[in-house]
Amino acid sequence: MEIARHWRQRGARYRLEGQRSRSTGAVRFPAQPPALGEELNEWELVTLSGRGEIYSFSVIRQAPDGYDAFTPYPVALVRLAEGPLVSAQLTDCAEGDLAIGQSVEMATRLLVDGGADDVLVYGYKFRPTIQ
Amino acid sequence: MRPTRPVGVVGYGVYVPRYRIAAKEIARLWTDGQGGVPVDAKSVPGPDEDTITMSIEAARNALARAGVPAERLSAVWIGSESHPYSVKPSGTVVAEALGAAPWVSAADFEFACKAGTEALTAGMALVGSGMADYALAIGADTAQSRPGDALEYTASAGAGAFIIGPATEALATIDATVSYATDTPDFYRRAERPYPVHGNRFTGEPAYFHQIQSAARRLLDDLGKVASDFTYAIFHQPNAKFPQAVAKRLGFSDAQIAPGLLSPQIGNTYSGAALVGLGATLDVAQPGDTIFVTSYGSGAGSDAYALTVTEGILERRGRAPLTEAYLRRQVFVDYGVYVKWVGKLVMG
């Protein structure tokens, strides 16, 4: 059980909360602490749109512990509309539905259920765009 | 009942999972395919979906239509009989995901299939009293059913989310409501039990029909109206037959209930049922149309509402996927995949 770690990541996982540079407008995800020598308020929190496209994808058939119930499931690198590249599970789709360059959108789903005495971990996945 | 300050729906959103199982596929396992089935198919939650995730998506659709920032919500209230935790509010996760936390009332409601409309009535009171400007009420369920039981053909998954706000900003005003509740144990689940039990035929006349007819007739009397005064009507839909039968008894036509009658395609979404039906009806309604809604929850009781659609619907409807978009993407699974995903396999 890693409650504190999951709790710290809730902004990024639930809402795709990243950061935007006040000086250049560049967007990064997930949020990071300021670099040495950088202005403390250089990066402001920004909630990303959740829209993007598939940069690359693969299919997991032999899953790590806790993910067996989902197999086979696709994972992808998604190029977000704001620029960052994120790795995430895809959901509501099968391998045959997918293509590089395809439009996807974020959905908040159950990431992992560690068992009856653990917390339920929710976070972002991506799926083919509905609208 | 009417609030001191007039209120209405400023945004609504629906969510239905992508997966379906045909009722005939369930009958293949348990009755050798013989006999009738109560619906054609029901929605099935994917392996990563539950009441919390479905609530989040329905609520995001409602926020998109309302055009209201999430931090202006004063309440995130979720009615369900399938909250993922027994202790730890679904409302906290949903409020955090929407961006409504931390200055928000987050709570879970429970009243079998009408827990969602309980939250709606409470939201009307919060906004209608002037305590807050916006309250989010959600009805969502991933309903449980014992393998082979009559409920297994219909117990499905879906969510409806409604943001209550001042009537002046509404896409549909909520003109009046009534609530009716009696101790009628037609369906229940004891603590620690995985599946509910029901009273078979007892779930009909003294339960579903009596509560809905009592609430609906009282609201019509209070308003001095009759069924034909309304453009559309929605009734709780545990199967295909009951809502059509109760509509007929109350004087509503097949055409009035058609846009909101989804149970033949997706089964009974429990706390979502009346609200998803209302969402699907708002998807096609025009300014000036009037809508009559009556929920039903076992145990038992009904909430009834009268709404009037405003000009606001025209601009806001298209800001989020219509119910039809969720119904259209259906993918059928077999009974084996279904039992794996909904946790009916004992894994040892």
Side-chain angles (χ1 to χ4, degrees), chain A residues 33-61:
Chain A
L36 202 62
E38 207 168 42
E39 289 287 336
L40 282 182
N41 64 353
E42 163 62 15
W43 294 89
E44 60 180 342
L45 280 180
V46 56
T47 299
L48 306 182
S49 66
R51 287 186 290 276
E53 60 178 51
I54 295 176
Y55 178 82
S56 187
F57 68 95
S58 185
V59 176
I60 304 296
R61 294 190 171 80

Side-chain angles (χ1 to χ4, degrees), chain A residues 50-101:
Chain A
R51 287 186 290 276
E53 60 178 51
I54 295 176
Y55 178 82
S56 187
F57 68 95
S58 185
V59 176
I60 304 296
R61 294 190 171 80
Q62 291 184 307
D65 285 349
Y67 294 82
D68 321 40
F70 305 133
T71 56
Y73 60 88
V75 293
L77 287 169
V78 172
R79 177 69 72 188
L80 297 176
E82 293 86 355
L85 193 63
V86 301
S87 60
Q89 279 188 46
L90 301 178
T91 189
D92 286 358
C93 56
E95 187 174 358
D97 303 332
L98 300 173
I100 287 169

